[in-house]
Amino acid sequence: MNRFWQLEAYPDGTDFAGGIKLREEAVPAIGENQLLVRNLWLSLDAGTRMWLTPRTDSYMDPAPLGSKIVGFVLGQVVESRHAGYKPGDIVRAYGQWADYSLLYPDMGDIWIVDSIADMRQHFAVLGPNGWTAYVGLTEYGRVRPGETVLVSAAAGATGLLAAQFAKAMGCRVIGIAGGAAKCALLTERYGLAAAIDYKTDDLAARLAALAPGGIDCFFDCVGGDTLDTVLPAMAMNGRIAICGLISTYDKAERVGPHNFDLILMKRLTVAGFFSPDFYFRGGEINRLTSPWLEAGIVQMEFDVTTGLENTLDAYGKLFSGGNIGKVMVDLSAS
């Protein structure tokens, strides 16, 4: 049998259990040019929250009610009717939150991955989180050595990599995170110049003290009030690279920053970017970042939950701030 999570109603806020239910079916039969993959790991990513709303002007169409929840999986091919794949191949792909994923390789976004010491890195440094961090800093943030870089959600998967990449590029890095433990981790283990606790610190005052000359690049995963507060702290001709808006994904009402006029006054460049636009460049980016991983310059914290039945508990951590680093579900023992 195949257990799977099904979208039965669009969740209200973070009440995921109210709209997403665990169901069971026979293991799917595959058709021509399809694969059956046994999922070993699920990657849980905050951006998928937008698929779980009826909103039609997002970067992805809403998931249809009654459909299986879709997300990145790492799994082993158990049956193939596609010439490019064989049983035993390990693939990273958009699959289903399930024991087994039925995949259509010709639709794209599927990769056969190499065996490495920690296969989870195919989602982290060597996967979409790493690609997002690297492209956001280099192409949208245009960071240069010696600049001051601010990263929001700096203890999350993408933010933690962006902070480390910026440091490896010779920048002075300040992180924003929730809680004293996360802030201590950022400065003591990862060597950031400073960390600001958005739960207890006065963000505006701390930015003024830590970066009196202004923030050159803001790598933003949060949006909302955080972005609004950072705008006055930006340096002239600063760059803001927005890869996520986790503070507003589950909000029915959208409100823009009150300090919007500072984009003009400070001649800021603000760019939003979406990682699937450069998935095809993954190999190229990995050749640039893998030496940092191999040398121990860049690392990842993994927040692992075991068992498909516990997926919603793990997913909720992304929105409560209960995680540090990459949130994953381990299905390898199933």
Side-chain angles (χ1 to χ4, degrees), residues 43 89 105 138 196 241 268 284 286 302:
S43 168
D89 286 342
T138 60
I196 302 171
L268 304 178
E284 164 203 339
N286 286 350
F302 290 98

Side-chain angles (χ1 to χ4, degrees), residues 19 44 49 67 109-110 113 120 155 176 187 192 194 218 245 256 258 268 283 291 301 308 322 328:
L44 302 188
R49 180 65 180 85
S67 64
D109 293 337
I110 179 171
V113 298
R120 299 174 300 181
I176 303 173
T187 55
L192 271 62
F218 178 34
L245 300 168
H258 296 291
L268 304 178
E301 303 283 333
L308 183 69
M328 303 187 69

Side-chain angles (χ1 to χ4, degrees), residues 32 63 85 88 102 154 177 181 251 294:
E32 195 67 24
Y85 302 82
L102 182 64
K251 302 293 191 298
E294 293 163 4

Side-chain angles (χ1 to χ4, degrees), residues 213-235:
I215 302 296
D216 299 297
C217 172
F218 178 34
F219 188 101
D220 190 19
C221 309
V222 174
D225 291 341
T226 298
L227 173 59
D228 210 17
T229 303
V230 171
L231 280 169
M234 293 298 297

Side-chain angles (χ1 to χ4, degrees), residues 2 58 60 65 71 77 100 103 109-111 118 142 171 181 194 268 270 286 300 323:
N2 179 47
S58 179
M60 294 286 284
L65 295 179
V77 176
Y100 292 87
L103 303 182
D109 293 337
I110 179 171
W111 301 262
D118 188 346
R142 304 193 304 278
C171 299
L268 304 178
V270 181
N286 286 350
M300 176 54 79
N323 67 294

Side-chain angles (χ1 to χ4, degrees), residues 7-29:
L7 179 64
E8 299 191 354
Y10 294 118
D12 180 11
T14 56
D15 180 20
F16 300 116
I20 302 172
K21 305 297 182 182
L22 188 62
R23 301 303 185 201
E24 191 173 80
E25 64 181 0
V27 175

Side-chain angles (χ1 to χ4, degrees), residues 234-247:
M234 293 298 297
M236 191 69 70
N237 297 303
R239 291 85 58 198
I240 301 176
I242 301 175
C243 77
L245 300 168
I246 194 169
S247 68

Side-chain angles (χ1 to χ4, degrees), residues 76-297:
Q76 185 173 44
V77 176
V78 295
E79 188 177 355
S80 172
R81 295 186 63 186
H82 191 287
Y85 302 82
K86 64 183 185 302
D89 286 342
I90 303 297
V91 298
R92 175 184 56 212
Y94 275 120
Q96 296 89 47
W97 286 7
D99 292 313
Y100 292 87
S101 286
L102 182 64
L103 303 182
Y104 304 76
D106 292 338
M107 294 180 66
D109 293 337
I110 179 171
W111 301 262
I112 297 176
V113 298
D114 296 329
S115 179
I116 58 177
D118 188 346
M119 296 295 283
R120 299 174 300 181
Q121 293 291 357
H122 285 303
F123 287 125
V125 178
L126 304 179
N129 293 119
W131 306 338
T132 300
Y134 188 84
V135 172
L137 289 169
T138 60
E139 299 182 17
Y140 295 94
R142 304 193 304 278
V143 300
R144 296 180 291 273
E147 290 191 325
T148 296
V149 174
L150 177 69
V151 180
S152 63
T158 300
L160 185 56
L161 292 178
Q164 293 178 82
F165 286 177
K167 187 170 178 284
M169 294 172 189
C171 299
R172 176 175 178 262
V173 184
I174 301 169
I176 303 173
K182 289 183 179 180
C183 289
L185 181 78
L186 292 174
T187 55
E188 295 171 12
R189 177 168 180 176
Y190 290 99
L192 271 62
I196 302 171
D197 183 352
Y198 72 81
K199 293 183 176 181
T200 60
D201 290 340
D202 182 326
L203 178 57
R206 290 281 283 147
L207 288 174
L210 291 169
I215 302 296
D216 299 297
C217 172
F218 178 34
F219 188 101
D220 190 19
C221 309
V222 174
D225 291 341
T226 298
L227 173 59
D228 210 17
T229 303
V230 171
L231 280 169
M234 293 298 297
M236 191 69 70
N237 297 303
R239 291 85 58 198
I240 301 176
I242 301 175
C243 77
L245 300 168
I246 194 169
S247 68
T248 63
Y249 283 146
D250 61 347
K251 302 293 191 298
E253 182 180 3
R254 285 170 277 156
V255 179
H258 296 291
N259 290 316
F260 182 85
D261 64 325
L262 292 176
I263 295 172
L264 172 60
M265 305 311 172
K266 291 177 174 282
R267 286 68 153 181
L268 304 178
T269 299
V270 181
F273 60 103
F274 182 40
S275 57
D277 292 343
F278 43 83
Y279 280 171
F280 71 97
R281 295 175 53 196
E284 164 203 339
I285 299 167
N286 286 350
R287 284 190 289 275
L288 298 170
T289 59
S290 58
W292 289 337
L293 176 63
E294 293 163 4
I297 296 171

